[in-house]
Amino acid sequence: MFGTATASLAALLVCSTLVAARPAVRNLKNLAEFNKLIKHHKENTGLPVIVDFYSDGCGPCRQIAPMYKKMAKAMKGKAVFTKVDVNFARDISGAQQIRSMPTFQFYSMGKKKHQFSGGDPNQLQQWAQNLATDAEKYNVQLTKDNLIAFYKENAPDKIDEAKIDELLAKAGEGGGPGHYKLVKKLNKKYGKKPELLPNENLMDKDEKKKKEEAKAGPGIKKATTEELKAELELRMEAEQDKKDQEAEDSDEEEVSPIKFFSKGDYAERVAIVGAGPAGLAAAIYAARAGLRPVVVAPPMGGQLQGKGVMVENYPAVAGVTGPMIVADMVKQAAEFETVFLQELVDEVDFSSRPFTIKTNTTTFQAHTVILSTGADSRWLGIEGEHKYRGGGVSSCATCDGFLYKDQEVIVIGGGDTAMEDALVLARTSSKVTVIHRRDSFRASHVLAQRVLQNDKIEVLWNKTTVKFEGEKVALPSDGTEGETEEIDSLTTVHLKDTATGEASTIKCTAAFVAIGHIPNTKFVEGKLTMDKQGYVVAKGDGSTKTSIEGVFAAGDVADKVYRQAITSAGSGAMAALDAERWLSEEGIGDEAAEAEAEMMRELLAEAAMEEREETEYPDTYKEPKKEEPKKEEPAAEEPTVDDNGEEIVEEVEEEAAHTEL
Ligand SMILES: Cc1cc2nc3c(=O)[nH]c(=O)nc-3n(C[C@H](O)[C@H](O)[C@H](O)COP(=O)(O)OP(=O)(O)OC[C@H]3O[C@@H](n4cnc5c(N)ncnc54)[C@H](O)[C@@H]3O)c2cc1C
C-alpha cells in the first residue's frame, strides 16, 4: 500500500510534464548545480564544459553573447556551453574568484584547463575546439563481448560473467570516460588493449537516456518512496531544462533584479562608492528613505567575495558563504530602488558642488558621496597562496580562527596586526607559531610582550615564507545533501632562513597572513583627510562625516580596528542616515522629480488656458453674470378712454369679475 508521502509524490509525478532538449547555453543558478554539472561530465560523458561569467551591465558580455550561443549550437554534442550571471549566482563567481566580466573558464574531466577575461572570440573558439577534439577519445565503448574476447586471449582465468558485468557497470553504462580509463588500465597491465567501439554521440546518449527514463517512469505503483523522489528530481530537472529552452528560444534574457544606472539631467542625491557590507547597508537605508542611491562598484569585489566558507559571526545569518551574503544584500538594496553602476570609480572631484564622479565610461554628479571601498589584505604573492585561500590560508584571524579550533596554526608577520591575530588564535588553537622575517618585532612593545609571554605561542625569527602546500580533501558540498566536493586544503608551509638560507617546513592546517591592509583610497588621495596608511579619517564626532561636508565614509575604508562585516554594515547604515540628514539640512530634494512636477504644473496651466479659450463651458460652469439692476420704466399713463372715446375702466373691471368666476 502507498503511504501518504508516497501517494502525494506519485500524484506530483503524474501531474508533472516533460521533456525538453537541453538549451544550447545552460544557465547555471548556484554552486551546487555548477559542481554537479562538472562532476557529471567528468564521470559520464568526458565532454568539456565551458563557462561564461557575465553581467547584464557589461558591454563586452553583451557583444560576445550571440557568438557564444552560435558556437554552442554548432558544437552541440562536442562541448557543453554554460553561462553564469554573476549578479545572481554569486556563490559560483565567488568560489571561482571571478574579478572581471566576461570571464571564460574551460573544464575537462573535472579540471579547469584554462581561464581568460575579456571578449576574445579567437581564444574562446580555439580552447573550445581543442578541448572538444581531445574529448573525442572518451567517446568509446567497451562491449561485454569484446572484453570477454580480450580475457580469453590474455587472461582466461578472469572470465567470470558476473565479475565482468560488475566491471562494466562500474565503468559506466553505455561507454564514455569510464570505459576509456578501463581500457587504459588493461593496456598497462597486459600491454594490449581490448577492441573498442566508437560510441554514439555522448551528449545525445546522455539526453536520450534521461528522456527514456523519464518517459518510462518508475512504474508508480511498484516504486518505493526513494525511487519516486529520484524520479521527481529527474522530472523537475527536465522541467527546468524546458523553461531554459523556452527562454532561449524566445531569446528573452532573464530579468535581473538589479536596475542599472542611467545618467539623468540632474545630480543624484546619494552616490555610494563600493558594494561590500558597508556600501550595501548604506544603499538599503538610503533607498528606504526614498533617496534612490546609486551604488558604483564592479559586480565582483570586496573582501567577503573571497570567503567561500561559511560566515559564522553575522547575527541571524547562518549557513551562508561570503558571496551569498553579499548577493542577498544586493538583492535587498535593489528591491528598494537602488540603482547600480558596475564600474570602478577612477576619480571624484570634491572641489565644486555637486561632486563629480568619474568611471572609465561615464561621469555623473551627486550631492553626497558615501565612500565604502574597503581595505584589501596585503598578500605575500608566493606559490600556493591563492590556491589555498579558503582552504587554510586566510588574512582574517577574527573571521576564520574558530574554524581551526584545537589545531596548529601559523601567523605570518611582525606588526601589531600579527600580534593581535596571534593572541586571538591562541585562545582557540592548540598552538600558534609566528613567522617573522626579522629578529625583532615591529609591533608595539606591549603587544609584542604579550605574544612572547604566551605559552601557546612560539616565534620563529628570521624566516620568510616561500610556499604553501596542501592536498585535496573531500568535504560536504554547500548545496546538495550527501554530496561532497574536493577542497584544496593546506598542510605544509615552506620556510627559508633569511640569515643562512636554510630551507625548512612546518605542518599546520591554517596560516594567517597578517602583513597589513591597503585601504582602497587611491582615487581620492589628497582630496580629503586621511591617515598615513591611507585610511579615511572621520570628523571625530562619532558620525561618519569626513573632512568634506557631504562626504561620508563607512566600513573598512575608515576602520583599521574592527574590520568586520557587521561593523561595516553598521557604519554603512550610519552613513546613509548622516547623508539623509545633511540633504535635509541643505534643503536638497529630488531635483529631477521637482523639475518634472514643475513642468507638469506649467503644462496643465497652459492646457487649462487654451481650453478656456476654445471651449464653450456649460452654463453651470460659467461664472455667474452680475445682473444690472433694472431701471424702473416710468409707467405709461393709462388711457382712460378708448379709440372711440368711451371709458375703459368699466371693461377691465368687468373682465376681472369674469375671471374670478
Ligand atoms: C578572508 C576573509 C574572511 C573574512 N571573514 C569574515 C567573517 O567571517 N565575518 C566578518 O564579519 N567579516 C569577515 N571578514 C571581514 C569583512 O569581509 C570585511 O570587514 C568587510 O567586507 C568590509 O566591508 P566593506 O564594505 O567596508 O568593504 P569590502 O567588503 O571590502 O567592499 C569594498 C567594496 O568596494 C569596491 N571598490 C573598491 N575600490 C573601488 C573603486 N575604486 N570604485 C568602486 N568600487 C570600489 C569593491 O569592489 C567592493 O565592492 C573577512 C575578510 C577576509 C579578507
Side-chain angles (χ1 to χ4, degrees):
M1 279 296 282
F2 280 139
T4 327
T6 317
S8 42
L9 270 173
L12 258 175
L13 281 177
V14 172
C15 294
S16 69
T17 50
L18 298 174
V19 163
R22 284 219 181 281
V25 179
R26 186 169 169 188
N27 196 4
L28 299 176
K29 305 251 169 19
N30 54 50
L31 192 57
E33 200 183 327
F34 173 87
N35 289 336
K36 198 169 160 191
L37 185 91
I38 302 283
K39 191 168 170 239
H40 172 76
H41 288 288
K42 175 185 170 191
E43 289 172 2
N44 299 309
T45 72
L47 291 171
V49 178
I50 297 136
V51 193
D52 169 12
F53 290 89
Y54 75 101
S55 143
D56 279 345
C58 129
C61 301
R62 288 196 299 270
Q63 273 165 12
I64 201 152
M67 181 258 176
Y68 187 68
K69 193 167 165 185
K70 224 168 159 183
M71 242 176 91
K73 281 185 178 157
M75 291 183 70
K76 194 157 192 241
K78 294 185 175 145
V80 180
F81 286 74
T82 65
K83 59 182 176 179
V84 172
D85 184 340
V86 297
N87 291 315
F88 279 105
R90 284 186 176 239
D91 55 345
I92 310 181
S93 36
Q96 295 302 315
Q97 308 262 337
I98 302 300
R99 292 278 174 259
S100 65
M101 255 58 62
T103 290
F104 292 95
Q105 290 187 335
F106 300 81
Y107 290 85
S108 175
M109 293 302 285
K111 283 207 172 87
K112 190 168 79 191
K113 297 284 181 186
H114 184 59
Q115 170 172 325
F116 74 89
S117 296
D120 178 353
N122 293 336
Q123 203 175 159
L124 180 59
Q125 208 142 17
Q126 218 167 37
W127 270 93
Q129 289 289 3
N130 288 352
L131 289 184
T133 309
D134 186 53
E136 275 169 19
K137 64 177 180 242
Y138 302 119
N139 202 5
V140 288
Q141 187 178 14
L142 174 59
T143 61
K144 188 173 168 184
D145 288 347
N146 283 352
L147 186 54
I148 291 175
F150 175 81
Y151 278 138
K152 258 189 196 156
E153 208 178 295
N154 299 291
D157 55 314
K158 290 268 161 65
I159 299 174
D160 173 341
E161 268 210 44
K163 277 198 176 151
I164 285 177
D165 283 340
E166 199 185 317
L167 201 62
L168 284 173
K170 233 174 157 183
E173 208 181 305
H179 287 229
Y180 171 81
K181 281 184 198 160
L182 176 60
V183 170
K184 237 177 131 181
K185 272 188 199 158
L186 292 170
N187 189 31
K188 201 170 167 195
K189 190 163 178 188
Y190 300 102
K192 272 186 192 166
K193 288 186 205 169
E195 194 186 331
L196 276 169
L197 294 183
N199 209 352
E200 63 183 299
N201 181 308
L202 282 171
M203 192 142 96
D204 289 348
K205 185 198 76 178
D206 202 34
E207 222 167 81
K208 209 162 95 190
K209 188 177 151 208
K210 276 197 170 178
K211 278 187 197 173
E212 274 164 9
E213 280 172 358
K215 249 186 212 160
I220 288 176
K221 284 194 178 157
K222 288 181 205 150
T224 64
T225 310
E226 285 315 306
E227 282 169 335
L228 284 171
K229 269 188 188 164
E231 178 64 15
L232 183 60
E233 200 181 304
L234 198 73
R235 289 189 181 203
M236 279 161 69
E237 208 181 295
E239 192 69 28
Q240 184 57 45
D241 289 347
K242 193 177 162 196
K243 280 186 194 148
D244 284 352
Q245 178 68 54
E246 279 166 5
E248 191 161 307
D249 286 348
S250 64
D251 255 358
E252 270 174 25
E253 284 303 316
E254 200 167 345
V255 183
S256 163
I258 293 178
K259 289 178 199 78
F260 295 105
F261 170 76
S262 72
K263 195 173 158 180
D265 296 331
Y266 296 89
E268 302 297 329
R269 280 168 292 170
V270 184
I272 299 167
V273 189
L280 293 168
I284 293 166
Y285 271 72
R288 291 191 77 249
L291 297 172
R292 208 166 185 265
V294 183
V295 172
V296 196
M300 300 304 296
Q303 297 162 68
L304 281 186
Q305 292 296 351
K307 171 108 177 169
V309 289
M310 303 300 164
V311 174
E312 293 174 340
N313 55 6
Y314 200 97
V317 173
V320 286
T321 60
M324 283 156 121
I325 290 189
V326 177
D328 284 347
M329 287 179 177
V330 168
K331 197 164 159 259
Q332 196 175 349
E335 277 166 6
F336 291 114
E337 297 288 301
T338 299
V339 290
F340 289 82
L341 174 59
Q342 296 188 317
E343 287 171 20
L344 272 175
V345 170
D346 291 335
E347 208 185 315
V348 185
D349 182 0
F350 294 131
S351 64
S352 59
R353 290 175 193 277
F355 307 126
T356 303
I357 294 141
K358 226 179 184 179
T359 72
N360 67 345
T361 65
T362 189
T363 300
F364 71 97
Q365 293 191 310
H367 291 290
T368 63
V369 172
I370 296 176
L371 296 171
S372 51
T373 44
D376 291 341
S377 311
R378 274 182 208 277
W379 293 98
L380 297 161
I382 58 171
E383 192 183 332
E385 189 175 49
H386 193 266
K387 184 173 178 182
Y388 296 104
R389 262 199 236 170
V393 175
S394 171
S395 61
C396 185
T398 317
C399 319
D400 295 340
F402 195 77
L403 302 173
Y404 305 97
K405 192 169 180 275
D406 299 327
Q407 297 174 35
E408 296 199 2
V409 301
I410 70 165
V411 172
I412 299 154
D416 280 351
T417 312
M419 300 302 104
E420 278 165 9
D421 282 3
L423 291 166
V424 164
L425 291 164
R427 288 188 213 125
T428 48
S429 299
S430 59
K431 185 183 173 190
V432 181
T433 307
V434 177
I435 314 286
H436 186 41
R437 61 193 167 131
R438 298 186 215 280
D439 58 5
S440 64
F441 287 136
R442 242 181 327 108
S444 64
H445 180 71
V446 181
L447 279 175
Q449 282 309 305
R450 275 196 211 142
V451 164
L452 294 170
Q453 285 160 11
N454 192 307
D455 290 344
K456 271 188 170 177
I457 303 175
E458 184 189 350
V459 181
L460 295 183
W461 305 103
N462 299 319
K463 297 271 189 282
T464 53
T465 314
V466 289
K467 183 180 155 186
F468 293 112
E469 196 185 325
E471 62 187 15
K472 290 232 180 264
V473 172
L475 291 176
S477 80
D478 292 343
T480 322
E481 214 176 293
E483 281 202 358
T484 55
E485 57 181 318
E486 287 198 326
I487 302 279
D488 291 309
S489 292
L490 181 75
T491 54
T492 314
V493 176
H494 291 256
L495 307 172
K496 188 174 149 192
D497 194 292
T498 51
T500 63
E502 189 191 340
S504 58
T505 57
I506 179 164
K507 290 271 170 209
C508 62
T509 47
F512 293 88
V513 180
I515 53 171
H517 287 81
I518 313 163
N520 294 315
T521 50
K522 261 237 150 340
F523 68 108
V524 284
E525 213 169 55
K527 295 183 177 172
L528 74 174
T529 308
M530 293 182 196
D531 69 6
K532 273 196 300 210
Q533 291 152 286
Y535 286 93
V536 178
V537 175
K539 230 177 166 184
D541 59 354
S543 75
T544 60
K545 291 175 190 162
T546 67
S547 56
I548 298 178
E549 286 256 326
V551 181
F552 307 88
D556 286 10
V557 76
D559 167 23
K560 53 185 169 197
V561 179
Y562 302 106
R563 284 200 286 250
Q564 290 296 287
I566 182 74
T567 50
S568 298
S571 65
M574 286 164 64
L577 294 171
D578 288 341
E580 189 191 349
R581 223 161 273 159
W582 190 87
L583 287 166
S584 301
E585 282 164 12
E586 294 294 310
I588 299 171
D590 185 346
E591 291 169 328
E594 279 162 16
E596 199 180 309
E598 181 57 35
M599 201 173 74
M600 285 307 288
R601 274 196 294 273
E602 277 170 20
L603 284 173
L604 283 172
E606 255 172 50
M609 288 295 289
E610 277 167 23
E611 257 181 51
R612 236 170 237 227
E613 279 160 21
E614 285 167 14
T615 319
E616 199 50 56
Y617 291 125
D619 284 352
T620 41
Y621 294 118
K622 282 184 183 165
E623 286 209 7
K625 279 186 187 161
K626 280 190 183 162
E627 299 235 330
E628 289 282 312
K630 273 187 184 165
K631 279 187 187 162
E632 292 269 318
E633 291 278 326
E637 239 175 64
E638 290 276 331
T640 51
V641 288
D642 66 10
D643 293 345
N644 300 323
E646 289 187 18
E647 272 216 64
I648 302 172
V649 179
E650 285 115 302
E651 242 180 63
V652 174
E653 275 173 6
E654 247 175 48
E655 200 176 310
H658 178 76
T659 315
E660 274 171 18
L661 287 171

